[in-house]
Amino acid sequence: MPTYDVGYFVGSLSSTSINRTLSRALIRLAPKDLTFTEIPIGNLPLYSPDFDADYPAEPQALKDAIARSQAVLFVTPEYNRSIPGALKNAIDWASRPWGQNSFDHIPAAVIGASPGQIGTALAQQSLRGVLSFCNARQMTAPEAYVTFRPGLFTDDGEVTDESTADFLSGFMQEFRDHIERVLTVLPRP
């Protein structure tokens, strides 16, 4: 059975991010043939086409991390009914310069947690539109909008609610199967 290397993005830069905690839960619940590496986004300068001819070190490291990944997972909060600016900035860097889009044909999944009742539904829709333009091969179902409440996750990612744990385990199994299907048809270099 092959092992798949998944790069994951946490859309929040907060040291107390509930989405970082969610990412730890997803990793704990994921099938054992998935390995995970966080792709950091906090030190990226703001994207400008002026850099396209000579990429700075941080954005090049971002592109290199995506190239080493066989799939990507986005774990993001919702800011003002959309994705956080830092995440959008990272996607802009990774998709440039023109013709060197790091997300082209990569298997991708989107999930997020929020204290609000609709979870991160609008952020995820916004992110899906961006990823569609970047030609990522998105897992479209199941959708996962996690309503966070205190005590749902421990700091190390243990899920305290059995039905939530079952749902997230199923989500990660679906993601694993999605990765296999996409890579069977569109192998990564």
Side-chain angles (χ1 to χ4, degrees), residues 64-171:
D64 293 345
I66 296 167
R68 287 189 301 271
S69 302
Q70 293 173 286
V72 290
L73 175 65
F74 293 87
V75 186
T76 188
E78 181 170 301
Y79 290 176
N80 300 318
R81 303 285 192 231
S82 189
I83 58 176
L87 181 57
K88 177 63 166 70
N89 185 53
I91 294 169
D92 290 346
W93 275 113
S95 64
R96 306 287 186 199
W98 191 258
Q100 297 176 36
N101 172 14
S102 298
F103 296 114
D104 189 42
H105 292 302
I106 195 167
V110 175
I111 190 170
S114 168
Q117 290 299 310
I118 62 170
T120 57
L122 296 174
Q124 289 187 40
Q125 289 306 311
S126 178
L127 179 54
R128 288 179 188 284
V130 173
L131 293 175
S132 289
F133 180 80
C134 292
N135 207 30
R137 301 290 136 213
Q138 297 179 64
M139 181 175 83
T140 57
E143 294 179 331
Y145 312 113
V146 179
T147 301
F148 176 82
R149 65 181 191 284
L152 180 60
F153 307 111
T154 65
D155 287 342
D156 65 347
E158 183 179 345
V159 182
T160 60
D161 178 78
E162 186 176 342
S163 66
T164 301
D166 290 345
F167 175 77
L168 295 175
S169 291
F171 178 88

Side-chain angles (χ1 to χ4, degrees), residues 22-46:
L22 174 58
S23 72
R24 288 191 286 267
L26 295 169
I27 291 168
R28 285 177 72 122
L29 296 169
K32 299 303 177 208
D33 57 345
L34 298 181
T35 61
F36 294 87
T37 304
E38 183 174 356
I39 300 176
I41 63 173
N43 292 327
L44 294 168
L46 291 176

